[in-house]
Amino acid sequence: MVAIISTLREALKINAFLRIPLRQLVTAIFKEGLSINTLLAFYAQKQPHAPLFIENHSVTTYGQFYDELIYMSYALYEKGIRAGQHVGFHCDNSVALLRAVFAVERIGATAVLLHTGRSVKGHFDFLFTEEQLEELPQRAAVNHFPRRQGKIIVQTSGTTGEPKGVQSEVQTLLAPFRALLERMHFHTYRYVYVATPFFHGYGLAFLSATIAAGHTVVLNRRFDATLLEVYPIEAIAVVPTLLARFCPTPALRCVVSGSAPLQNNEGFDAILYNLYGTSEVGLISIATPQERALHRDTIGKPIDKLHLTYENGELIVNGQYTGDLVEEKDGLLFIKGRLHDMIISGGENIFPQRVEQVMRTHPRIEDAAIVGERDVRFGECVVAYIVAVDVDEQNIIAFCKKHLANYECPKKIYFVERLPYNELGKLNRKALSRINRL
């Protein structure tokens, strides 16, 4: 009962921003349960002709999409999908993917969004690829089935091992969503380009937030900067590596970056929000442009309803270990690095992310990655992989000695053409030793 009351209070706080008539919202909940389909049902009734998705310059309205997912749920039920089953989707972002995922959830099954950059592992009652999605029927002979609440599972990024599926409960999503409304005014952005994969919680979160506001989602299978010039996109959700691939436009009022440390963010400071979270916990903190102006490297203030503790420097949120070394200053959070990335050299703790941030301030260094390498004398030594133009090793060593502690300075420097990042913009340190050196 306490949990129900707390959920209702949080929902009422959110509705103060969205201003959804309660009677219509309750009707939608009664029809679809507590899920994203509830919002789709509500807006399909309220604004059936409003644009929901823009993909490949084709518009899908709220009414059209909701009708299609209803029919799709009947077709998938006829195909044999039942409540309680696990249905995998190994597909890039598309309207077809979302139609099938929400239809599976509507049946009461569990939709699992799989990492498209990896081979499929695990057992699924049904598994859909891009080609199979296109072949799904749009109509079916059945027009009803027993209703149960389904689930959507997304994956962790998998930089430290195999990706793991993570389920998000509606109740745990309310406080993060309210933070997006209060701190980022996300309900005011009418066109939102979600340029991050839906198989990660970050992309799915901004998709859901845009739908909750009744606005339009622009999406594409691959990032396309020209969409910012064609459509009046007011907000865009990206990973940091994409920041170098587009420029501010007159309509753009919000750039949201998350999933990895910021980089290449010149020109966006006045509209750039830096988000921090984990797939297991969800959104943990938001750094506003105003906070970043005072402390450039901050990940912002924690959102409400979270219990933060620390163990040997590692951040623990609601009892979940994050694997991140975090410190608090003046009410703001700062990431020192990943626990498993920390280098111990001669008894000194060295945080690669800090060294990388300093090295990227060198005018000739475009990107940098720091790892530890076994050393007979010190246990580990600092090794740098550098993407740079017209600079030699001696110049970089002199720069490091000026701006870093002696034990933080790289003992070896390798020049490379590019660094290995995954689809979410996270550096794959394990792959560094395998890339070609210049």
Side-chain angles (χ1 to χ4, degrees):
M1 180 61 71
V2 174
I4 294 175
I5 293 174
S6 177
T7 299
L8 289 174
R9 285 176 177 170
E10 198 67 37
L12 289 173
K13 291 177 182 178
I14 289 172
N15 202 42
F17 292 94
L18 302 181
R19 298 180 178 179
I20 297 175
L22 289 180
R23 174 180 286 184
Q24 296 178 28
L25 181 60
V26 170
T27 300
I29 292 173
F30 180 78
K31 184 177 182 180
E32 293 292 348
L34 284 173
S35 73
I36 197 168
N37 288 329
T38 303
L39 297 169
L40 291 168
F42 169 75
Y43 284 115
Q45 179 69 29
K46 179 185 178 184
Q47 50 184 44
H49 304 297
L52 169 55
F53 295 120
I54 297 177
E55 180 188 28
N56 297 327
H57 305 295
S58 176
V59 176
T60 302
T61 66
Y62 274 89
Q64 177 188 350
F65 183 78
Y66 185 66
D67 286 345
E68 289 174 350
L69 86 84
I70 295 295
Y71 291 129
M72 177 64 73
S73 68
Y74 296 146
L76 293 177
Y77 186 83
E78 190 173 73
K79 190 178 179 67
I81 295 177
R82 295 293 184 267
Q85 292 182 330
H86 281 66
V87 183
F89 293 91
H90 196 241
C91 312
D92 290 323
N93 290 6
S94 69
V95 173
L97 168 64
L98 296 175
R99 185 188 303 118
V101 167
F102 297 152
V104 165
E105 184 189 29
R106 188 171 189 271
I107 292 171
T110 297
V112 185
L113 299 175
L114 299 167
H115 196 303
T116 56
R118 296 174 179 267
S119 59
V120 176
K121 295 184 179 181
H123 169 74
F124 297 96
D125 298 289
F126 291 85
L127 177 65
F128 294 102
T129 62
E130 297 274 357
E131 295 75 18
Q132 291 167 322
L133 269 188
E134 299 299 330
E135 297 171 358
L136 286 176
Q138 302 298 313
R139 294 290 188 272
V142 300
N143 59 8
H144 70 279
F145 47 74
R147 296 300 305 279
R148 278 178 53 187
Q149 184 70 55
K151 303 173 185 175
I152 297 177
I153 289 180
V154 297
Q155 294 193 320
T156 63
S157 59
T159 56
T160 60
E162 290 301 318
K164 296 171 291 189
V166 178
Q167 175 189 335
S168 296
E169 301 288 346
V170 171
Q171 294 87 341
T172 64
L173 297 176
L174 295 178
F177 182 43
R178 179 161 61 87
L180 298 182
L181 301 177
E182 290 178 342
R183 302 190 197 179
M184 297 172 53
H185 315 292
F186 209 78
H187 57 297
T188 68
Y189 308 129
R190 294 166 296 175
Y191 287 79
V192 178
Y193 184 5
V194 181
T196 52
F198 295 144
F199 63 72
H200 187 265
Y202 179 45
L204 193 62
F206 283 98
L207 166 75
S208 303
T210 307
I211 293 175
H215 293 159
T216 304
V217 178
V218 180
L219 56 88
N220 213 49
R221 279 179 164 81
R222 296 289 182 269
F223 179 71
D224 184 357
T226 63
L227 294 174
L228 290 157
E229 302 169 5
V230 176
Y231 299 104
I233 294 171
E234 296 177 303
I236 181 171
V238 298
V239 295
T241 51
L242 293 180
L243 290 171
R245 296 176 56 185
F246 68 97
C247 299
T249 63
L252 195 59
R253 297 190 288 130
C254 173
V255 177
V256 188
S257 180
S259 297
L262 281 176
Q263 54 180 299
N264 305 315
N265 55 293
E266 292 79 8
F268 296 107
D269 282 342
I271 57 174
L272 180 61
Y273 293 81
N274 187 22
L275 273 60
Y276 166 67
T278 67
S279 295
E280 294 85 355
V281 175
L283 181 63
I284 295 173
S285 65
I286 299 174
T288 66
Q290 295 76 19
E291 290 164 348
R292 292 189 59 256
L294 297 174
H295 302 280
R296 189 170 185 80
D297 298 327
T298 185
I299 54 172
K301 295 178 182 177
I303 66 170
D304 294 340
K305 307 283 187 179
L306 296 181
H307 178 61
L308 276 58
T309 57
Y310 300 88
E311 184 175 301
N312 298 322
E314 180 181 1
L315 176 64
I316 304 170
V317 182
N318 294 346
Q320 293 266 10
Y321 288 78
T322 64
D324 291 319
L325 296 165
V326 176
E327 62 182 1
E328 289 189 48
K329 295 179 182 176
D330 302 323
L332 299 175
L333 300 180
F334 296 81
I335 293 183
K336 298 172 67 176
R338 292 286 293 171
L339 183 63
H340 66 82
D341 291 335
M342 186 174 69
I343 302 166
I344 302 176
S345 181
E348 298 286 355
N349 293 340
I350 301 166
F351 304 103
Q353 188 171 318
R354 166 183 149 69
V355 179
E356 291 161 358
Q357 289 171 345
V358 171
M359 295 190 75
R360 290 189 187 115
T361 63
H362 188 295
R364 297 290 183 179
I365 294 179
E366 296 179 358
D367 206 353
I370 299 296
V371 292
E373 190 176 280
R374 287 191 177 184
D375 183 84
V376 175
R377 183 179 178 187
F378 296 103
E380 286 184 291
C381 68
V382 178
V383 177
Y385 289 80
I386 302 295
V387 180
V389 179
D390 297 329
V391 66
D392 58 26
E393 185 174 330
Q394 294 305 314
N395 180 284
I396 293 175
I397 290 173
F399 177 86
C400 289
K401 287 182 176 179
K402 182 178 179 181
H403 297 280
L404 294 167
N406 183 60
Y407 58 84
E408 293 177 310
C409 293
K411 302 302 184 285
K412 296 180 183 179
I413 295 177
Y414 299 126
F415 291 92
V416 297
E417 184 177 348
R418 64 176 62 88
L419 297 178
Y421 289 93
N422 69 10
E423 294 85 349
L424 299 175
K426 291 187 177 182
L427 179 65
N428 186 352
R429 297 182 192 276
K430 292 183 178 180
L432 287 170
S433 61
R434 301 193 296 269
I435 63 177
N436 295 326
R437 303 167 186 172
L438 301 178

